[in-house]
Amino acid sequence: MRKRIRLTGRRQIARSSVETKIIEIGGKRLVSVTIAHQEAFHKMPQTARIRLRLSENKFSETLEFGTLGEMKTTAEIRNGAFSAPSCQLRVVDSDEGHKGLLLGSTDTWTLRTGGEDEGGTASEGILLFQPHEIAPRAWKLELREDDYPIVYIDKKIPDARTWVRNDPIFVSCVLPAIVREVFDDILIANSPPGHAWAREWLGWAETLMPGKSPPWTDGRAQKQDWIADLLDSFCQRHGMLGLLVGKLNQEAAA
């Protein structure tokens, strides 16, 4: 496989070259990093330092994992605010004369607590859900440039991941609002986006409205009409109104 070399000399490292996950030991949260494909770091000096940059909700932290020659397998997360941070692996030169020079980096991806590393694919589909403390709000959507959108659900809600899939009120009322917000963001551009996650969302829209592409070069009104048609198709396909009416009738009869 050909490696992509950037004009700055920085090498693009494949996300699959490393395996990462968050673990909890003795009340501490640690990130574990192991190299899955050594060839991705070929010709980089053994003294180069390995760093993992975490960021979420305007907070950021950089974890140190030693050098390529003497790599540490874990590093502690000091910031207690992280729930599902975006992360990026970076390899930085430590030799005199080039100290601090970025030699290579991965694209960003979402590293989630309370489960396996999601990596570049979303086992839950094109939308990620993560319990987090966001009171007084029950849910909040975060759009990320290089990874799938993530919906935070306040951690006071029991079994939040099951709730967002099965609760008729959430499914029928909240999911369409999330879909609208995501496509509002995608359609800001006047051409199809380059990010893989956005292309997957557009592919999903194609399954609901075959042959009806977004009006990239039209005005806001035409784009909003396209999103409205998409929401109608989405709600009709999954019987959203029927789910809500059935839930309300059930509660009224109880």
Side-chain angles (χ1 to χ4, degrees), residues 231-243:
L231 293 177
D232 286 345
S233 298
F234 173 55
C235 292
Q236 183 175 14
R237 172 76 64 88
H238 296 284
M240 297 298 193
L241 181 58
L243 286 175

Side-chain angles (χ1 to χ4, degrees), residues 116-185:
E116 295 297 320
D117 171 16
E118 293 298 319
T121 60
S123 62
E124 300 181 74
I126 59 176
L127 185 65
L128 301 176
F129 294 93
Q130 177 70 21
H132 194 38
E133 186 172 340
I134 59 168
R137 296 171 63 176
W139 66 274
K140 182 175 70 173
L141 174 66
E142 180 176 304
L143 296 170
R144 300 182 173 186
E145 183 177 358
D146 295 329
D147 205 356
Y148 296 94
I150 184 166
V151 178
Y152 293 107
I153 306 296
D154 191 77
K155 64 181 184 180
K156 297 183 184 67
I157 297 174
D159 198 3
R161 291 194 180 99
T162 300
W163 177 67
V164 298
R165 286 175 175 77
N166 300 313
D167 183 78
I169 295 178
F170 186 92
V171 171
S172 61
C173 298
V174 177
L175 278 186
I178 291 172
V179 171
R180 173 179 288 281
E181 194 168 337
V182 171
F183 277 101
D184 273 338
D185 184 77

Side-chain angles (χ1 to χ4, degrees), residues 43-72:
K43 294 185 178 180
M44 292 185 182
Q46 292 296 291
T47 55
R49 303 199 65 81
I50 301 173
R51 295 172 177 169
L52 193 70
R53 185 178 184 275
L54 307 179
S55 60
E56 184 178 18
N57 294 328
K58 300 181 180 180
F59 294 103
S60 64
E61 181 177 356
T62 299
L63 306 183
E64 296 279 353
F65 289 87
T67 64
L68 284 174
E70 297 183 9
M71 182 176 173
K72 294 166 50 182

Side-chain angles (χ1 to χ4, degrees):
M1 182 178 68
R2 295 169 58 186
K3 293 184 175 66
R4 182 170 53 174
I5 306 296
R6 300 185 184 272
L7 295 178
T8 60
R10 173 166 60 99
R11 179 180 298 176
Q12 179 71 15
I13 301 172
R15 165 67 191 89
S16 58
S17 299
V18 292
E19 296 176 355
T20 56
K21 62 181 179 180
I22 295 179
I23 56 178
E24 294 191 12
I25 298 178
K28 296 181 178 180
R29 290 198 303 162
L30 308 174
V31 175
S32 169
V33 174
T34 56
I35 294 178
H37 301 291
Q38 291 285 347
E39 61 272 17
F41 304 89
H42 182 57
K43 294 185 178 180
M44 292 185 182
Q46 292 296 291
T47 55
R49 303 199 65 81
I50 301 173
R51 295 172 177 169
L52 193 70
R53 185 178 184 275
L54 307 179
S55 60
E56 184 178 18
N57 294 328
K58 300 181 180 180
F59 294 103
S60 64
E61 181 177 356
T62 299
L63 306 183
E64 296 279 353
F65 289 87
T67 64
L68 284 174
E70 297 183 9
M71 182 176 173
K72 294 166 50 182
T73 57
T74 61
E76 182 180 356
I77 300 176
R78 301 288 184 179
N79 194 324
F82 290 141
S83 174
S86 293
C87 65
Q88 181 189 45
L89 186 84
R90 299 179 175 185
V91 182
V92 180
D93 202 336
S94 63
D95 293 341
E96 290 298 328
H98 298 92
K99 193 171 184 179
L101 178 67
L102 185 60
L103 302 176
S105 64
T106 64
D107 291 332
T108 60
W109 74 94
T110 298
L111 188 63
R112 297 175 56 203
T113 59
E116 295 297 320
D117 171 16
E118 293 298 319
T121 60
S123 62
E124 300 181 74
I126 59 176
L127 185 65
L128 301 176
F129 294 93
Q130 177 70 21
H132 194 38
E133 186 172 340
I134 59 168
R137 296 171 63 176
W139 66 274
K140 182 175 70 173
L141 174 66
E142 180 176 304
L143 296 170
R144 300 182 173 186
E145 183 177 358
D146 295 329
D147 205 356
Y148 296 94
I150 184 166
V151 178
Y152 293 107
I153 306 296
D154 191 77
K155 64 181 184 180
K156 297 183 184 67
I157 297 174
D159 198 3
R161 291 194 180 99
T162 300
W163 177 67
V164 298
R165 286 175 175 77
N166 300 313
D167 183 78
I169 295 178
F170 186 92
V171 171
S172 61
C173 298
V174 177
L175 278 186
I178 291 172
V179 171
R180 173 179 288 281
E181 194 168 337
V182 171
F183 277 101
D184 273 338
D185 184 77
I186 292 175
L187 267 61
I188 286 177
N190 292 322
S191 60
H195 298 304
W197 75 262
R199 292 197 299 270
E200 286 196 43
W201 273 80
L202 289 168
W204 171 77
E206 173 69 18
T207 67
L208 293 173
M209 299 193 302
K212 190 172 182 179
S213 300
W216 296 108
T217 59
D218 291 341
R220 176 171 173 76
Q222 288 81 5
K223 292 180 179 180
Q224 289 299 305
D225 287 343
W226 184 89
I227 294 175
D229 290 343
L230 176 65
L231 293 177
D232 286 345
S233 298
F234 173 55
C235 292
Q236 183 175 14
R237 172 76 64 88
H238 296 284
M240 297 298 193
L241 181 58
L243 286 175
L244 179 60
V245 172
K247 173 69 173 179
L248 296 176
N249 286 336
Q250 182 182 9
E251 292 181 350

